[in-house]
Amino acid sequence: ALEQAGRAAERDAIRYEDIGGLSRVLDRVREVVELPLRHPEAFAALGITPPKGVLLVGPPGTGKTLIARAVAAEANAHFILVNGPEIVDRYYGASEQQLRAVFEEARKRAPTIVFIDEIDAIAPKRDALSGEKQVERRIVAQLLTLMDGLAGRGEVVVLAATNLPDSLDPALRRPGRFDREIRIDPPDRQGRREILAVHSRAMPLAPDVDLDAIAEATPGMVGADLAALCREAAMAALARAGALSPGGLAVPVETLSVAAPDFAAARAS
Ligand code: ATP
């Protein structure tokens, strides 16, 4: 599964230009993660150690996974995705075993970015754990051991996503572990505009489509919502062109376009 994830990441490489509305976040990610991966020697020359762990903090669907994939692609680093809830859900000892395998692969294929999605699932505050939460306790201990074992030359960086930084085991936040934090907020109007532009980039848009107006009308939507909105609008355009009717598409494919009413229909659905 790990190898598959790695291969998929290489095939569908995400670039910074695929991410909308997060330019300040990206600047910070580049400084904290990409720079050390690219130029470990510069850090060594200055006598400073690059971060081993960085927390990406923000609500679901705001692009945390996207950022991790993009920085790996742009830094030419190997990428390994670890899903927090999935790793907890293993038979006895298998979670720790998988974490060890992840760090082993990370070291071998360095530079590597290990991305732990929903880390709160595996690393809740230890004193808050009841008896049956022994699994998490062991996984946190294993993760800490593995991170402490990293040489700290920037060759492996662990990014972890959470929406609940305060619910994390404080041991994870100590120096040399996840000691940096980057906040990813839901997009404002301008951010939504940029995200809409990314996701409609490959679409033939009719002249009546006003992305500014759509951005204005979609407060509260995050990147994942806006990506779905664009996809739904294209589906509405297909339906309008008769693609879903028994007779099939009523117009030549090259005349298809996504129009303002399609976005309206997508928002209503
Ligand atoms: P979760 O914590 O639920 O995993 P996340 O913050 O990691 O959420 P992603 O998985 O990165 O969110 O985003 C889901 C999808 O939403 C992406 O694949 C992308 O299509 C779209 N998306 C989210 N944020 C952005 C963004 N800032 N720019 C462009 N697309 C975005």
Side-chain angles (χ1 to χ4, degrees):
L2 283 180
E3 265 172 46
Q4 259 168 17
R7 276 200 298 272
E10 276 155 40
R11 202 177 48 237
D12 320 309
I14 305 279
R15 297 286 163 179
Y16 291 140
E17 72 212 35
D18 300 321
I19 303 178
L22 292 174
S23 59
R24 248 177 305 163
V25 167
L26 285 178
D27 285 347
R28 187 122 160 77
V29 169
R30 299 191 68 162
E31 173 191 314
V32 175
V33 185
E34 188 186 328
L35 196 62
L37 282 174
R38 277 189 189 277
H39 301 291
E41 74 288 353
F43 282 74
L46 292 172
I48 51 174
T49 46
K52 291 180 180 177
V54 179
L55 272 188
L56 301 178
V57 177
T62 46
K64 298 182 292 296
T65 310
L66 218 51
I67 288 170
R69 284 193 187 282
V71 70
E74 303 272 355
N76 262 321
H78 182 54
F79 181 78
I80 307 178
L81 186 134
V82 176
N83 183 276
E86 245 170 54
I87 209 165
V88 175
D89 202 20
R90 305 262 157 170
Y91 58 87
Y92 191 87
S95 315
E96 297 97 302
Q97 169 56 38
Q98 190 183 344
L99 274 184
R100 286 194 297 272
V102 163
F103 276 74
E104 179 63 21
E105 178 187 336
R107 223 171 28 76
K108 278 196 191 133
R109 310 251 337 235
T112 298
I113 287 182
V114 175
F115 177 66
I116 307 179
D117 201 4
E118 295 184 58
I119 192 171
D120 30 294
I122 63 173
K125 283 197 178 86
R126 280 189 281 192
D127 55 8
L129 297 180
S130 56
E132 77 264 26
K133 294 280 188 174
Q134 289 301 317
V135 194
E136 284 89 339
R137 190 185 297 254
R138 293 193 332 253
I139 302 175
V140 175
Q142 179 67 84
L143 179 61
L144 294 177
T145 303
L146 289 165
M147 286 188 74
D148 290 346
L150 291 175
R153 285 190 294 267
E155 65 293 300
V156 176
V157 182
V158 187
L159 297 183
T162 180
N163 190 26
L164 306 161
D166 296 333
S167 78
L168 291 184
D169 189 328
L172 278 173
R173 315 293 295 275
R174 300 221 178 96
R177 296 169 176 175
F178 293 96
D179 51 9
R180 312 292 166 98
E181 182 174 316
I182 300 180
R183 282 209 60 86
I184 295 138
D185 291 317
D188 59 9
R189 188 182 50 75
Q190 181 56 31
R192 293 194 299 277
R193 169 75 175 74
E194 287 177 29
I195 296 168
L196 287 164
V198 166
H199 287 281
S200 62
R201 195 164 53 194
M203 293 179 179
L205 290 183
D208 66 347
V209 174
D210 179 356
L211 294 185
D212 284 312
I214 301 172
E216 180 76 44
T218 48
M221 283 202 183
V222 294
D225 303 322
L226 295 165
L229 182 71
C230 290
R231 205 163 39 238
E232 288 299 315
M235 292 307 292
L238 269 184
R240 190 165 48 79
L244 308 178
S245 69
L249 211 53
V251 296
V253 190
E254 55 282 6
T255 66
L256 282 175
S257 73
V258 187
D262 300 321
F263 278 93
R267 276 183 54 210
S269 71

